[in-house]
Amino acid sequence: VAEADAATWPQLRVIRLGANAGKGAAVRRGMLVATGSHRAFSDADLSTPIEELARLRSRLGGNCHVAIGSRALAESRIEVHQPGHRELMGRTYNRLLQLVALPGISDSQCGFKVFTEMAAIACFAHLEATRFGFDAEVLLIARKRGWEIAEVPVRWHHVEASRVRSIRDSSHMLVDLARLRLRRR
């Protein structure tokens, strides 16, 4: 949040980590210091517009403690696609993830998720993955708790300045996937 935005959004505050520990570590910290009955996070590039938050929040209630944006559902609207190799890598990772840990989740990596307060604390307090594989781990924790995860179609557009480095980050995600598989057992 820019300093100028702080006056417009007084409920937001900047939290700094001492060193770059990875996206998962940063999101974990933010989710654990956040307050409120719902806690959400979004990719910094706002590839899913913040206006989509209401759709996700409306799905929370009863046994549903987690709602995730999905680019993979028929009702989703992809306004700008990723390069072909990135889409292929994402679909491949999701299929592997469904086979080894999270069957039924079509798009675990969309960076737009909302949790109830209880679920945010439970899912992020013991998070071990500190890089891009954290999404899958928090969803696995929610599933182990017996909570429903609502997958919600969203508007989404690729932003060219993405921070994902294809080969290196993919290898980290595969290592995290192997760790998830071991933890699931």
Side-chain angles (χ1 to χ4, degrees):
V1 177
E3 297 298 325
D5 293 335
T8 307
W9 298 89
Q11 71 273 31
L12 298 179
R13 63 186 167 132
V14 175
I15 299 167
R16 298 186 197 287
L17 297 178
N20 182 352
K23 180 180 177 180
V27 172
R28 176 183 186 268
R29 175 79 186 274
M31 293 297 275
L32 293 175
V33 301
T35 58
S37 60
H38 294 163
R39 300 179 186 186
F41 68 88
S42 171
D43 284 341
D45 63 11
L46 295 175
S47 51
T48 302
I50 201 71
E51 293 81 16
E52 296 290 300
L53 184 59
R55 295 179 76 193
L56 273 67
R57 290 182 67 200
S58 73
R59 296 293 299 274
L60 298 178
N63 194 40
C64 182
H65 291 272
V66 180
I68 64 174
S70 178
R71 301 162 290 187
L73 301 175
E75 302 85 14
S76 301
R77 197 169 82 207
I78 309 301
E79 295 170 345
V80 177
H81 283 268
Q82 299 177 76
H85 71 283
R86 288 274 306 274
E87 283 195 15
L88 178 62
M89 286 177 11
R91 283 194 302 270
T92 302
Y93 176 79
N94 248 331
R95 284 193 183 111
L96 287 171
L97 183 60
Q98 286 186 47
L99 286 172
V100 303
L102 286 170
I105 300 291
S106 303
D107 185 8
S108 65
Q109 296 308 115
C110 182
F112 199 72
K113 295 177 176 61
V114 64
F115 297 74
T116 62
E117 177 183 17
M118 177 176 63
I121 293 167
C123 292
F124 286 92
H126 303 289
L127 180 67
E128 293 180 24
T130 59
R131 303 219 178 268
F132 292 106
F134 83 94
D135 292 275
E137 185 177 346
V138 295
L139 296 178
L140 183 61
I141 293 168
R143 276 258 174 97
K144 283 186 173 186
R145 294 280 182 134
W147 295 327
E148 178 187 336
I149 299 168
E151 200 165 3
V152 181
V154 292
R155 284 186 301 131
W156 188 88
H157 61 271
H158 173 67
V159 176
E160 195 56 46
S162 172
R163 303 287 295 189
V164 176
R165 292 170 207 84
S166 300
I167 301 301
R168 191 179 93 199
D169 289 333
S170 296
S171 64
H172 286 296
M173 289 172 76
L174 290 175
V175 168
D176 286 342
L177 183 59
R179 287 182 183 142
L180 269 182
R181 177 67 176 168
L182 292 173
R183 261 184 259 145
R184 186 169 183 249
R185 289 183 176 175

